[in-house]
Amino acid sequence: MIEVGQMAPAFSLPDGESGIVHLLDFRGSQVVIYFYPKDATPGCTQEACDFRDLHTEITGAGAVILGISPDPPRSHEKFAGKYALPFKLLSDQDSAVATAYGVWQEKSMYGRTYLGIVRSTFLIDAEGKVKRIWPRVKVAGHAAEVLAALLP
C-alpha cells in the first residue's frame, strides 16, 4: 500500500458518462478517492449516498470526490443516476489502479478466497501527495470523518 507523503499514483480511467478522468486534472485541489467493491450493493450504496449527502460540504472545503470500483462504466452510469450521485464514479476494470493504491487484495467470504477491492479512502493534497489514508473502511460515519479531515 502507498503511504502518507508519497505522490499519489496517477491514473486515467473511464467514468459513467463516456469520458476519461485523469487524476492530474485535479492538481490544485484536494481529491477524495474512495475505492469500493461493487455498485448497488448495500454497503457501497450507503457509502456513495453518504458522500452524496455531504458533497456540498466536501466541495466547499475545496475537495472533489471520485469513487473507483471494477464495475464497467455503464454500471456506474445506472448507479449514479439511480442515487443522484453528484460526483464521478470511475471504472477500474483491470484493477490496475486499485493495485497501484494497494487496495486490490486477497479476501475471503463463505470459505472462498478471491481477489477484490478492500474498501479504502485516500485524501490527496493539492500537490498530488497522499495526505491521509483510511484503510479497511467501515461505512457508518466514514464520509463525515473524511469531511472532518478536510476542515481546518
Side-chain angles (χ1 to χ4, degrees):
M1 175 155 329
I2 61 175
E3 296 180 11
V4 170
Q6 288 183 301
M7 289 300 291
F11 58 78
S12 298
L13 290 173
D15 64 16
E17 300 167 351
S18 302
I20 300 292
V21 174
H22 311 276
L23 180 60
L24 289 174
D25 291 345
F26 301 102
R27 195 57 59 88
S29 296
Q30 295 188 93
V31 182
V32 174
I33 302 172
Y34 79 96
F35 288 89
Y36 65 100
K38 186 157 182 56
D39 290 340
T41 56
C44 296
T45 299
Q46 185 62 57
E47 184 176 27
C49 290
D50 289 349
F51 276 117
R52 175 201 63 204
D53 295 346
L54 293 175
H55 183 258
T56 300
E57 290 88 343
I58 290 171
T59 57
V64 297
I65 303 168
L66 300 173
I68 300 177
S69 85
D71 294 302
R74 181 79 179 120
S75 175
H76 287 334
E77 181 181 16
K78 289 179 184 177
F79 184 50
K82 182 174 183 177
Y83 294 99
L85 303 179
F87 47 83
K88 296 201 177 283
L89 299 178
L90 308 180
S91 180
D92 184 24
Q93 288 184 275
D94 65 1
S95 308
V97 176
T99 299
Y101 278 78
V103 301
W104 187 254
Q105 299 176 14
E106 188 173 279
K107 299 169 72 172
S108 63
M109 186 183 320
Y110 306 118
R112 186 176 73 91
T113 302
Y114 61 97
L115 289 173
I117 296 269
V118 174
R119 190 183 311 276
S120 304
T121 301
F122 296 81
L123 176 58
I124 311 303
D125 71 15
E127 288 85 44
K129 291 183 181 174
V130 178
K131 184 175 179 178
R132 177 110 185 244
I133 301 171
W134 290 268
R136 301 191 178 278
V137 165
K138 301 293 184 228
V139 172
H142 176 61
E145 186 179 356
V146 171
L147 174 60
L150 289 165
L151 298 174

